[in-house]
């Protein structure tokens, strides 16, 4: 992202807004899938109470950690990735 003495352009702010939205939605989807895989059997089948509690706690914990990890990793990757000024073009000396 290009910054001019601490000020961001409108396109840079828009890009960050889109990236934040992508990070949140993709993290929510991944967390829901993991929660469903880990805690789903406890919700669908008659299991002993202890097993149900353990599966629900494990699913919730892993989903929460995955959510945070996904958001942070997407935003860090966005911050580090240089954006080409003209997509699809190569530099003249290559």
């Amino acid at each position: 992202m290009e910054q001019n003495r601490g000020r961001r352009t409108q396109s840079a702010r828009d890009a960050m807004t889109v990236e934040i939205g992508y990070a949140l939605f993709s993290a929510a989807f991944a967390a829901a899938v993991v929660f469903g895989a880990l805690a789903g059997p406890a919700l669908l089948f008659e299991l002993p109470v202890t097993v149900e509690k353990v599966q629900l706690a494990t699913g919730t914990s892993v989903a929460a950690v995955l959510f945070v990890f996904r958001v942070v990793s997407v935003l860090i990757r966005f911050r580090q990735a240089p954006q080409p000024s003209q997509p699809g073009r190569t530099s003249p000396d290559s």
Side-chain angles (χ1 to χ4, degrees):
M1 256 184 312
E2 188 174 319
Q3 293 184 0
N4 298 333
R5 298 182 189 228
R7 302 208 48 156
R8 294 186 179 149
T9 63
Q10 182 65 39
S11 62
R13 289 192 305 265
D14 291 346
M16 182 55 101
T17 301
V18 168
E19 200 66 23
I20 289 170
Y22 169 72
L24 291 173
F25 283 113
S26 67
F29 179 76
V33 168
V34 168
F35 178 80
L38 295 176
L43 299 171
L44 294 175
F45 304 114
E46 289 289 328
L47 299 173
V49 176
T50 306
V51 174
E52 283 185 6
K53 286 183 180 182
V54 167
Q55 281 188 315
L56 287 173
T58 303
T60 303
S61 301
V62 172
V65 169
L66 177 66
F67 180 85
V68 171
F69 178 77
R70 176 70 180 159
V71 169
V72 169
S73 67
V74 167
L75 294 180
I76 286 174
R77 189 171 357 119
F78 174 73
R79 186 175 181 185
Q80 293 175 347
Q83 298 291 324
S85 60
Q86 295 179 340
R89 294 187 178 221
T90 59
S91 58
D93 58 345
S94 60

